[in-house]
Amino acid sequence: MTAAAEVGVEPLPDVPQQRARSSRRSTGLWFLVRKLFGAATSLLFMLVVNFFLFRVIPSDPVRTLARGRATTPKQVAALTKTLGLDQPLPVQFLTYLKNTATGQFGVSFQYRQSVGSLLIDRLWPTLALVGTSTILSILIGLWMGTLAAWYRGQMFDTISTTGTIVLYSMPEWWLGLILFFLFAVGFGPIPGVFPIGGLIDPGVNGSSVHGVLNMAWHLTLPVVTLTIAYLAEYALIMRSALLDEMGEDYLVTARAKGLRDVLVRRRHATRNALLPVVTLVALNLGFIVSGAITIETVFSIPGLGLLTTDALKIPDYPVLQGAFLVFSASVIVANLIAQLLYGWLDPRVRL
Amino acid sequence: MTTEAGQTAQTVQALSPRRVTWLRRRDAAVRSWKSFARHRIGVAGLVVLVLFALMAVFAPLLANSNGLEVTKATGPVMGAPSSHYWLGTDESGRSVLTLLIWGSRVSLFVGLFATLISVVIGTLIGISSGHFGGRIGGLLFRLTEWFLVIPFLPLALVLASLLGASLVNIAFVIGITSWPGTALLIRSQTLSIEARPYMERARVLGAGNWHQMTRHVLPNVMPMVFANTTLTVAGAILAETTLSFLGLGDPTRVSWGTMLDSAFSNGAMSLGAWWYLIPPGVCVVLVVLSFTVVGQALEEIFNPRLRQR
């Protein structure tokens, strides 16, 4: 790390060492502050969008909320008061900020339960699904991309690049439908072995060993779907990043030293190519959470995604608002991590 | 190459400046087309796109629009493919092939309309944020970054549910949620063009902001806009399909996405109705794939850095 930092901020010969070191540290600190500030403004912007989206676009929120139900003027007045809509807009915004900060997102129309606790209940199936498939897709995707670039133009490259571009053009939920159709329902000679949806069989205790295995069995097909759907992007980006590095002189040097091909690839080329890939991976983390929306719908896994699509049918605005907040916040956090990681790996970025 | 340059040099004396410009542009277009024609996969994608476009335009000739109406459907419920219904029937006895042909209209229309919105916003904001330095440019850049971090699908879902389901609304929602990528790309292109000497010359000669942006920056970023547009259409069609699948499509129109939605919600999977599940998805993949490969071919032509790949 320190060696890398010296490459970025080369101290001039006549500058005292002490001063150079302090300025280097302050560059890093300044970078951190700048990125944190950027994330904070993004978060604020997102909160403003979230506030206005649900209050301004529907011309009359109360009527939208009471849509399809018979309401008396008295009820409308009461609802207006509960929602705080009789207050001026800035006051409403401050109340909203306070409620968001304390985790009070209101009460779901559909479940008659606080949105905050609903979101927390539904968070972990999504995290299990998304976490597992992210790790798998990164590992497999990077491996495929590396090999494809290293053996460019050969059969593996042709097959994997064609396959990844086709996968990239495919809605991930359609792939899910097909896999569900083939392996959960069964078609022709293929028996339907996998469960047809849900997270756990009814009556099975989720905290026992049997329950955990049962859940893993239920999550297998969705995880496979998301893994296949996402590895395409990682493979493509890894391939192009490695191709960028392959013309570099230091690889010639490494070969001239007599290193074997595998070592040149592993120790030199791949490491440098990983730099842009890391950023992409971290950026993607935030979006994958929302990518789970469709897959959870197909496999009826009770996570945040299914909660969102169910809320759309009502429409259950407090739930939608809360879920939107969680999805956007996860992107902002992932984005911040990506930038900090990139700054840590590549000191040139910090300047 | 040399003969083309020679021709242009000869015609300079005889023709007006406007004509010279026009000839030069025509030469450039011919050259781009020739390098595109060398790109075999790109040409294949273009052929597929033309076929789908013909199918959408001539839908009334290929399939009777009466076949779309549930009340006039005469086929069996979820019937398997037969000599009469080549791709079987749906849950109300309509021919899947008819739905597929008419669905191409909606999918392509929404894809293209959404792309138009997205590209216009993206190009405007990209060029202005690259051209105007200082506070305005910085603010526009910030705005782009903010929109970039809003996750696309949740925002689109929320907007579509708030605005109500109609074709134009869906296109609008996709358009205003997918412009930031274009804007960032165009901004970086603009910045590199702004640094070129002829921009300085134009400024010294007294060219205003509008003249600089429309006469110098825009023609130079246009190729990238064009390549990006094709890729944006691919994304927009995918987005339309996904939104329709989640039940936010226009209920009065059939698109490939709404077909998959009704296949899913009417249990086509447990009934083994593969003819209802596979064809719409294959159409989506074919169209999106074709737009992607055409876009990539164009990118390679217009961006020399990618040419060795």
Side-chain angles (χ1 to χ4, degrees):
Chain A
M1 183 57 221
T2 29
E6 264 159 21
V7 177
V9 197
E10 196 105 51
L12 292 167
D14 54 353
V15 176
Q17 203 59 38
Q18 187 57 43
R19 248 177 66 198
R21 195 173 299 147
S22 81
S23 84
R24 189 189 307 154
R25 194 175 300 147
S26 69
T27 313
L29 197 68
W30 176 231
F31 174 77
L32 186 72
V33 168
R34 228 171 42 211
K35 291 302 161 195
L36 282 176
F37 180 74
T41 52
S42 294
L43 202 65
L44 193 66
F45 175 75
M46 198 267 301
L47 285 170
V48 172
V49 168
N50 198 18
F51 174 76
F52 280 100
L53 213 55
F54 287 90
R55 271 171 192 74
V56 174
I57 290 188
S59 48
D60 184 355
V62 173
R63 201 183 306 148
T64 320
L65 294 184
R67 193 156 68 185
R69 274 173 266 177
T71 36
T72 62
K74 214 171 138 191
Q75 279 173 315
V76 170
L79 196 52
T80 310
K81 203 161 161 48
T82 357
L83 290 172
L85 291 172
D86 47 350
Q87 309 273 332
L89 210 58
V91 177
Q92 281 186 44
F93 185 62
L94 285 178
T95 322
Y96 156 79
L97 280 186
K98 199 189 92 199
N99 287 346
T100 309
T102 51
Q104 291 169 313
F105 300 118
V107 175
S108 155
F109 299 155
Q110 193 184 3
Y111 299 94
R112 295 270 149 226
Q113 190 185 344
S114 124
V115 173
S117 69
L118 203 59
L119 289 176
I120 289 171
D121 281 353
R122 298 299 193 90
L123 187 64
W124 74 265
T126 303
L127 282 182
L129 168 66
V130 163
T132 322
S133 38
T134 305
I135 293 169
L136 286 176
S137 61
I138 289 174
L139 291 179
I140 302 172
L142 295 192
W143 173 77
M144 278 175 67
T146 312
L147 286 191
W150 204 251
Y151 303 109
R152 175 163 58 135
Q154 295 181 23
M155 200 165 74
F156 181 82
D157 181 29
T158 316
I159 294 173
S160 105
T161 308
T162 314
T164 44
I165 290 183
V166 171
L167 279 178
Y168 199 61
S169 315
M170 192 181 283
E172 73 279 2
W173 48 267
W174 186 66
L175 180 69
L177 286 179
I178 301 297
L179 291 180
F180 184 95
F181 183 60
L182 287 180
F183 300 111
V185 177
F187 179 69
I190 308 166
V193 284
F194 285 96
I196 52 161
L199 186 62
I200 193 163
D201 283 327
V204 177
N205 180 9
S207 48
S208 65
V209 177
H210 175 62
V212 171
L213 286 177
N214 191 277
M215 266 188 259
W217 186 238
H218 275 83
L219 280 175
T220 307
L221 264 190
V223 164
V224 168
T225 311
L226 268 187
T227 306
I228 296 177
Y230 285 124
L231 69 82
E233 193 170 5
Y234 298 127
L236 285 176
I237 213 87
M238 186 66 205
R239 179 175 179 273
S240 89
L242 194 54
L243 281 182
D244 274 346
E245 292 296 326
M246 274 169 63
E248 298 290 328
D249 291 338
Y250 67 84
L251 292 183
V252 180
T253 315
R255 283 208 184 84
K257 283 195 305 189
L259 280 185
R260 277 186 296 136
D261 199 45
V262 179
L263 289 182
V264 175
R265 185 176 81 213
R266 205 177 292 156
R267 289 207 193 141
H268 295 270
T270 314
R271 290 211 175 170
N272 281 299
L274 276 176
L275 211 58
V277 175
V278 164
T279 326
L280 179 99
V281 168
L283 268 181
N284 254 32
L285 289 183
F287 286 93
I288 285 177
V289 175
S290 54
I293 291 180
T294 50
I295 294 298
E296 282 177 12
T297 310
V298 169
F299 292 97
S300 39
I301 292 167
L304 282 181
L306 191 63
L307 183 71
T308 310
T309 41
D310 280 346
L312 281 173
K313 284 172 195 142
I314 303 295
D316 194 341
Y317 287 111
V319 168
L320 280 179
Q321 193 171 17
F324 180 67
L325 204 68
V326 172
F327 289 133
S328 337
S330 64
V331 178
I332 292 172
V333 171
N335 204 340
L336 181 66
I337 294 173
Q339 285 174 339
L340 294 182
L341 213 58
Y342 200 57
W344 182 62
L345 289 174
D346 188 352
R348 285 170 299 180
V349 182
R350 289 207 296 259
L351 293 174
Chain B
M1 273 300 283
T2 42
T3 53
E4 278 166 20
Q7 274 172 7
T8 324
Q10 271 179 6
T11 44
V12 164
Q13 291 115 23
L15 301 165
S16 66
R18 184 173 296 237
R19 178 107 179 108
V20 171
T21 320
W22 192 83
L23 280 176
R24 207 169 55 209
R25 282 193 188 145
R26 200 192 57 183
D27 282 353
V30 169
R31 241 178 295 134
S32 302
W33 169 250
K34 277 185 181 156
S35 32
F36 183 78
R38 271 200 298 275
H39 209 283
R40 261 188 299 161
I41 301 173
V43 172
L46 191 64
V47 169
V48 174
L49 288 184
V50 169
L51 288 179
F52 270 101
L54 289 176
M55 181 166 115
V57 171
F58 295 109
L61 298 179
L62 294 169
N64 194 334
S65 65
N66 280 339
L68 295 175
E69 287 176 44
V70 180
T71 46
K72 289 181 185 158
T74 49
V77 171
M78 294 259 188
S82 60
S83 58
H84 193 67
Y85 299 103
W86 291 355
L87 285 177
T89 53
D90 74 345
E91 76 281 355
S92 22
R94 296 179 293 179
S95 160
V96 171
L97 186 61
T98 305
L99 298 179
L100 209 59
I101 290 171
W102 283 85
S104 68
R105 287 193 150 193
V106 173
S107 297
L108 287 178
F109 167 77
V110 173
L112 293 174
F113 191 49
T115 305
L116 184 72
I117 298 173
S118 158
V119 166
V120 167
I121 302 179
T123 310
L124 270 178
I125 293 200
I127 289 186
S128 335
S129 91
H131 178 75
F132 298 107
R135 210 164 281 173
I136 305 177
L139 188 73
L140 287 174
F141 180 55
R142 255 286 120 85
L143 194 73
T144 317
E145 278 198 319
W146 284 339
F147 268 95
L148 203 63
V149 297
I150 297 182
F152 163 73
L153 191 56
L155 178 64
L157 288 178
V158 166
L159 269 180
S161 121
L162 288 171
L163 292 175
S166 80
L167 280 194
V168 175
N169 278 355
I170 293 285
F172 174 74
V173 165
I174 298 171
I176 64 162
T177 44
S178 57
W179 61 266
T182 310
L184 280 190
L185 180 82
I186 300 303
R187 179 179 183 269
S188 69
Q189 287 285 312
T190 308
L191 285 177
S192 83
I193 287 161
E194 291 278 333
R196 288 182 195 171
Y198 63 78
M199 286 300 289
E200 201 179 339
R201 172 187 166 276
R203 271 191 292 272
V204 170
L205 288 179
N209 283 326
W210 180 250
H211 181 89
Q212 287 175 37
M213 286 198 287
T214 52
R215 287 303 171 90
H216 296 286
V217 180
L218 191 63
N220 278 298
V221 298
M222 223 42 209
M224 281 315 276
V225 172
F226 196 49
N228 182 256
T229 305
T230 3
L231 294 176
T232 311
V233 180
I237 289 177
L238 273 183
E240 189 274 334
T241 317
T242 303
L243 288 180
S244 305
F245 174 68
L246 292 175
L248 292 166
D250 189 333
T252 60
R253 300 295 190 100
V254 175
S255 82
W256 296 330
T258 56
M259 285 174 76
L260 286 167
D261 178 30
S262 34
F264 177 64
S265 41
N266 289 301
M269 290 188 296
S270 36
L271 292 170
W274 55 268
W275 57 88
Y276 199 11
L277 282 174
I278 311 277
V282 169
C283 285
V284 172
V285 173
L286 273 179
V287 170
V288 172
L289 187 63
S290 306
F291 272 114
T292 311
V293 293
V294 170
Q296 281 177 347
L298 290 176
E299 253 185 354
E300 255 173 63
I301 291 166
F302 298 134
N303 189 351
R305 273 192 58 217
L306 294 173
R307 214 164 271 172
Q308 297 96 27
R309 299 270 160 85

